[in-house]
Amino acid sequence: MILLDGKLVSNIVKDNVKQKVDEIVSKYNKVPTLAVVMVGNNPASAVYVRNKIKACEKVGIKSVHVVLDETISQQELENKIKELAVDDEINGILVQLPLPEGFDSDSAIRLIPQNKDVDGLTKGNVADLVLGEKGIVPCTPLGVMDLLKHYNIEVSGKRVVIIGRSMLVGKPLFFLMTNANATVTLCHSKTKNIAEITKEADIVVCALGKAKFLKEEMVKDGAVIVDVGINKTEDGLVGDADFDTLKEKASYITPVPGGCGPMTVAELLNNTVDCFYKQQTK
Ligand code: GUN
């Protein structure tokens, strides 16, 4: 079994972004800037946001951390996003999800201009992905594709099974994999006999948010296991795959932490730079 080392590969992606940032600074005399909007103080979200901001610093991207109290209204949140949307100094806008209960995240995300949408969640970017055109794609699926590419794991012609149908991971990954000529099955909470489906897969991607859901008996020998999950349990942080039993059977597997997590952050930086470029050619 070979570990898919997200820390290692994310550092390569980040070095690449740093070069692009340096070029931008000398060519445009501007610093690419990302606004990270967080509502409330969900502890997990706070950790993710802190990691994103630290990573920005590392590659020379400026970050603006907008922290809003969870007692604000939907309207106040939307006013803030509208402000960032028209601010020429801001190149990317990320609204950390999930928002606290009572907020309408779709309505908030709709206000992000397509060329500042570093999460690839707006209708225009989703349409580009489905059509196979070059838009901004959500960070985690991009990270999965880059991780596999680094290890020369071919996806063309392979059977890929994705568990989880979120707009941030499962659905966009379905299209990335399909566009890369994989045969893709998207499973979710209503899928029946899921093990029968995962057993057929050359590559299984777990993105459902259930600790140790994918077990050794659900995959075939030599499968590639990509674990997007991160769950807080009594045993500490664990993924959606049961690493200890799967590691004997898999050909490649991501660790948790240190697999997909660092890749997501690195791709966010890349998307911020891509958004910067899109705004220069307006
Ligand atoms: N919450 C967990 N992952 C993500 C992500 O990639 N983007 C946003 N906006 N929120 C998240």
Side-chain angles (χ1 to χ4, degrees):
M1 178 275 297
I2 296 174
L3 274 184
L4 296 169
D5 186 345
K7 255 192 139 148
L8 174 99
V9 183
S10 69
N11 279 328
I12 298 171
V13 175
K14 281 193 266 190
D15 284 346
N16 201 359
V17 175
K18 180 153 188 349
Q19 273 185 20
K20 291 193 214 168
V21 172
D22 292 346
E23 277 167 28
I24 286 171
V25 172
S26 59
K27 183 168 172 199
Y28 296 92
N29 198 26
K30 289 182 189 170
V31 179
T33 301
L34 173 68
V36 180
V37 179
M38 186 170 151
V39 183
N41 53 6
N42 176 304
S45 290
V47 173
Y48 296 144
V49 166
R50 212 176 315 130
N51 285 342
K52 290 171 185 178
I53 287 171
K54 262 202 291 197
C56 283
E57 274 169 27
K58 240 180 117 180
V59 299
I61 290 175
K62 185 178 166 196
S63 61
V64 176
H65 190 184
V66 179
V67 187
L68 302 169
D69 198 89
E70 67 185 350
T71 59
I72 64 156
S73 64
Q74 175 81 21
Q75 190 59 53
E76 283 170 295
L77 168 63
E78 295 191 359
N79 288 344
K80 188 67 211 177
I81 296 172
K82 283 182 192 162
E83 218 177 89
L84 296 166
V86 297
D87 185 340
D88 285 338
E89 305 270 296
I90 300 291
N91 304 112
I93 303 171
L94 180 147
V95 177
Q96 184 64 28
L97 300 173
L99 289 170
E101 213 165 306
F103 286 92
D104 177 350
S105 51
D106 289 344
S107 156
I109 282 157
R110 221 171 287 138
L111 299 169
I112 301 174
Q114 188 181 345
N115 65 4
K116 292 190 179 185
D117 171 28
V118 289
D119 260 331
L121 290 173
T122 59
K123 286 184 180 173
N125 281 325
V126 173
D128 279 346
L129 174 59
V130 176
L131 295 167
E133 291 176 14
K134 202 179 156 11
I136 300 291
V137 177
C139 310
T140 304
L142 277 181
V144 171
M145 299 306 282
D146 275 351
L147 197 53
L148 295 175
K149 201 188 290 167
H150 177 88
Y151 286 89
N152 295 317
I153 299 168
E154 182 65 74
V155 301
S156 177
K158 296 286 175 63
R159 283 191 164 251
V160 176
V161 172
I162 302 167
I163 313 173
R165 55 177 154 177
S166 71
M167 284 311 296
L168 272 170
V169 187
K171 280 188 195 168
L173 188 58
F174 176 91
F175 288 104
L176 281 180
M177 287 286 191
T178 304
N179 295 348
N181 301 312
T183 301
V184 194
T185 306
L186 186 57
C187 300
H188 47 75
S189 51
K190 298 285 189 290
T191 300
K192 297 202 168 76
N193 302 325
I194 203 159
E196 275 175 26
I197 300 169
T198 52
K199 257 190 241 168
E200 297 288 314
D202 301 305
I203 302 172
V204 184
V205 181
C206 305
L208 69 156
K210 267 195 180 167
K212 299 186 185 180
F213 173 84
L214 188 77
K215 305 281 186 202
E216 176 261 336
E217 63 271 19
M218 295 169 73
V219 305
K220 70 177 183 188
D221 262 333
V224 175
I225 313 292
V226 178
D227 189 351
V228 173
I230 182 143
N231 308 284
K232 215 172 181 178
T233 69
E234 284 173 359
D235 307 335
L237 289 179
V238 303
D240 291 349
D242 189 0
F243 184 91
D244 289 336
T245 61
L246 281 161
K247 69 177 193 240
E248 307 298 334
K249 207 166 182 185
S251 55
Y252 295 86
I253 185 167
T254 53
V256 175
C260 294
M263 291 302 296
T264 296
V265 176
E267 302 294 348
L268 169 66
L269 307 174
N270 211 8
N271 279 355
T272 304
V273 166
D274 282 351
C275 282
F276 178 92
Y277 279 123
K278 280 177 186 286
Q279 287 152 42
Q280 307 317 305
T281 53
K282 263 196 301 213

